[in-house]
Amino acid sequence: MNKRRTVATASMVMAGVLVTAGCGAGGPSAGGGDFTDDKVVLALLNDASGVYKDVSGPNSKIAIQMAIDDYQEKYGDEAVVDDIEVTSADHQNEPDIANTKAQELYDREGADVILDVPTSSAALAVATQAKNKKKLYMNVGAATTELTGAQCNKYTFHYAYDTWMLANGTGTVVTEDGGKNWQLIYPDYAFGQDMVKSFTGAIEAGGGKVAGTIATPFPNDNFATYITKAGAAKPQVIGTMHAGGDLINLVKQYNESGLKDQGIDLAVGLMFISDIHSLGVEAFEGTIFTDAWYWNLDEKSREWADRFMEETGDRPTYAHAGNYSAALQYLEAVQAAGTDDADKVVEELEGKKVEDMFLRNGEIRAEDHRVIHDVYLARVKGPADVKEDWDYEEIIKTIPAEEAFRPASESGCSM
């Protein structure tokens, strides 16, 4: 969707966006820079038709357009660029396709920044293109810590979440609550492999043990054999490292397996509110998981979520909210730099502290380009506790930004 929409009031925008560093003077000549083709192009690259469609998919294009609208509403005639476009492509969760689409977006469509890119193998392929072409890339949808680790680069930033954050929350809490003996089931590609590594570290640090790991194809719809194999080992906890449609299928089949009645719990490594909505709270009731953002966290989140729902008919996942925030902070950096020159925009982003609708106590770390922020330990409500549609989560703990993500000193990133 490329059309612009009217934003109700300027106060709505300002309530949702408070930038505490990196602001620049307005006006078309601010920063003395210029713009490629006299415009800025934001490109969304994600799964538009497969297992991750509901997690982010086409609705993230609407979230990005909302960021453009809010930027234009905030700066008006003082905006350094008037022509801002958003384009999109479907990578089908394939790294080769992601690689080709990234090249096309940068070279043919003039993308100044690529956003989102779920599926870790695809995300890493795009990071390589960003590095080679010296173009901005703000990943929201992938979980691999390699983006801010050994494969980090000057032009790649990692928003929202990663496997270290998920394991540090869920893995630690479940282990400390008595789940000491684990079997992990994971999709056999970069995301799943990284999840196993991160969760094993957190479980062992909490005094637990991963007694076995079981790889599954990706994507997949039949998990019965893998669940049976994990259950045969008699663990206290089976941890699933899947997401999106794969997670939904696995949870269905776990609930049908009878393992829950045998006292074998299921821990979910990565979950979005769209997953809960698909199966219903009954399927996930009581599940503890780590969330990067929740639409009903507070009035600021809900206000934005109401706007999103008016456009899409759905409540936003944290991927939708993260894409909004990433797009908005990119535009704020362009405003400060007065140009879409990638090197100058990077300078504005590095070290920036941000407080917006999505990022609470946010900071874009200069050392590894990990965007840190408060995250939340959540529990899925029971049916009796759900007061309105989509209100499925109880936030039981806020994990402060400085504790939620891997320390930069341990990242292994060298730029």
Side-chain angles (χ1 to χ4, degrees):
M1 181 177 293
N2 289 324
K3 67 176 183 175
R4 291 183 57 191
R5 290 180 294 280
T6 302
V7 180
T9 64
S11 61
M12 176 189 299
V13 177
M14 296 306 292
V17 182
L18 173 61
V19 180
T20 59
C23 292
S29 61
D34 57 359
F35 291 85
T36 309
D37 300 325
D38 296 319
K39 63 183 178 181
V40 167
V41 179
L42 291 78
L44 173 70
L45 180 58
N46 68 11
D47 174 13
S49 55
V51 294
Y52 295 154
K53 177 184 176 182
D54 292 341
V55 167
S56 183
N59 279 351
S60 278
K61 190 173 184 180
I62 295 173
I64 292 168
Q65 183 63 52
M66 289 171 66
I68 295 170
D69 293 345
D70 286 359
Y71 166 80
Q72 292 173 327
E73 178 75 13
K74 178 180 178 180
Y75 287 102
D77 292 340
E78 297 300 307
V80 297
V81 61
D82 294 323
D83 190 356
I84 306 173
E85 298 177 1
V86 56
T87 187
S88 62
D90 183 357
H91 69 25
Q92 301 173 47
N93 295 312
E94 295 288 347
D96 290 346
I97 296 175
N99 185 69
T100 300
K101 293 294 184 182
Q103 293 182 65
E104 292 175 356
L105 290 168
Y106 284 137
D107 295 340
R108 297 183 189 176
E109 300 195 40
D112 294 291
V113 60
I114 290 177
L115 297 155
D116 202 12
V117 197
T119 309
S120 292
S121 52
L124 293 168
V126 176
T128 298
Q129 288 298 327
K131 178 181 178 180
N132 292 343
K133 296 183 180 298
K134 299 182 179 180
K135 292 277 194 172
L136 265 290
Y137 167 38
M138 303 182 84
N139 184 280
V140 176
T144 178
T145 54
E146 288 295 293
L147 289 168
T148 54
Q151 298 190 49
C152 71
N153 69 72
K154 177 180 179 179
Y155 301 97
T156 295
F157 294 81
H158 198 181
Y159 243 74
Y161 77 112
D162 60 30
T163 62
W164 197 98
M165 177 271 273
L166 296 170
N168 183 58
T170 308
T172 299
V173 169
V174 174
T175 303
E176 290 178 349
D177 283 351
K180 302 294 187 182
N181 186 356
W182 291 63
Q183 289 278 323
L184 300 181
I185 306 176
Y186 68 96
D188 195 12
Y189 76 103
F191 159 66
Q193 294 155 9
D194 205 3
M195 286 284 278
V196 167
K197 179 181 176 181
S198 294
F199 265 77
T200 298
I203 291 163
E204 290 178 349
K209 178 179 70 171
V210 176
T213 61
I214 302 170
T216 71
F218 172 79
N220 189 41
D221 57 9
N222 188 347
F223 293 95
T225 299
Y226 308 103
I227 293 169
T228 300
K229 182 178 179 180
K234 303 298 181 184
Q236 293 170 293
V237 183
I238 294 175
T240 171
M241 306 292 107
H242 299 78
D246 277 8
L247 173 65
I248 291 168
N249 285 324
L250 188 145
V251 171
K252 281 181 183 177
Q253 292 163 42
Y254 163 80
N255 287 338
E256 294 166 355
S257 71
L259 292 178
K260 189 172 185 179
D261 294 335
Q262 299 175 32
I264 299 175
D265 294 329
L266 182 71
V268 176
L270 171 60
M271 185 155 62
F272 293 84
I273 195 168
S274 53
D275 302 323
I276 306 171
H277 190 71
S278 293
L279 280 185
V281 292
E282 296 88 351
F284 293 101
E285 181 179 358
T287 299
I288 292 175
F289 66 105
T290 307
D291 207 345
W293 176 86
Y294 180 49
W295 72 268
N296 207 18
L297 177 70
D298 57 20
E299 191 58 36
K300 186 188 292 187
S301 297
R302 188 181 181 104
E303 182 181 76
W304 186 84
D306 287 345
R307 292 173 55 203
F308 182 87
M309 193 168 191
E310 287 177 7
E311 296 290 340
T312 67
D314 293 325
R315 289 298 186 186
T317 69
Y318 67 72
H320 298 131
N323 276 296
Y324 167 88
S325 177
L328 187 60
Q329 295 313 320
Y330 172 77
L331 292 173
E332 290 281 3
V334 167
Q335 180 74 16
T339 178
D340 60 357
D341 178 85
D343 291 312
K344 293 179 180 178
V345 173
V346 167
E347 288 179 10
E348 295 296 335
L349 289 169
E350 287 183 333
K352 184 177 183 180
K353 296 184 184 296
V354 183
E355 191 79 17
D356 68 10
M357 175 278 300
F358 177 78
L359 296 177
R360 309 301 173 88
N361 297 307
E363 180 182 353
I364 304 172
R365 287 198 310 220
E367 299 94 331
D368 59 358
H369 289 183
R370 172 70 258 175
V371 181
I372 66 170
H373 57 97
D374 292 352
V375 303
Y376 310 95
L377 199 66
R379 180 187 292 113
V380 180
K381 293 179 177 180
D385 297 319
V386 175
K387 305 305 181 186
E388 62 178 301
D389 205 17
W390 292 93
D391 182 30
Y392 306 140
E393 299 181 26
E394 174 193 359
I395 303 301
I396 56 180
K397 180 182 178 182
T398 297
I399 304 174
E402 62 273 13
E403 298 176 13
F405 293 90
R406 179 177 63 184
S409 60
E410 299 176 9
S411 70
C413 173
S414 177
M415 286 189 277

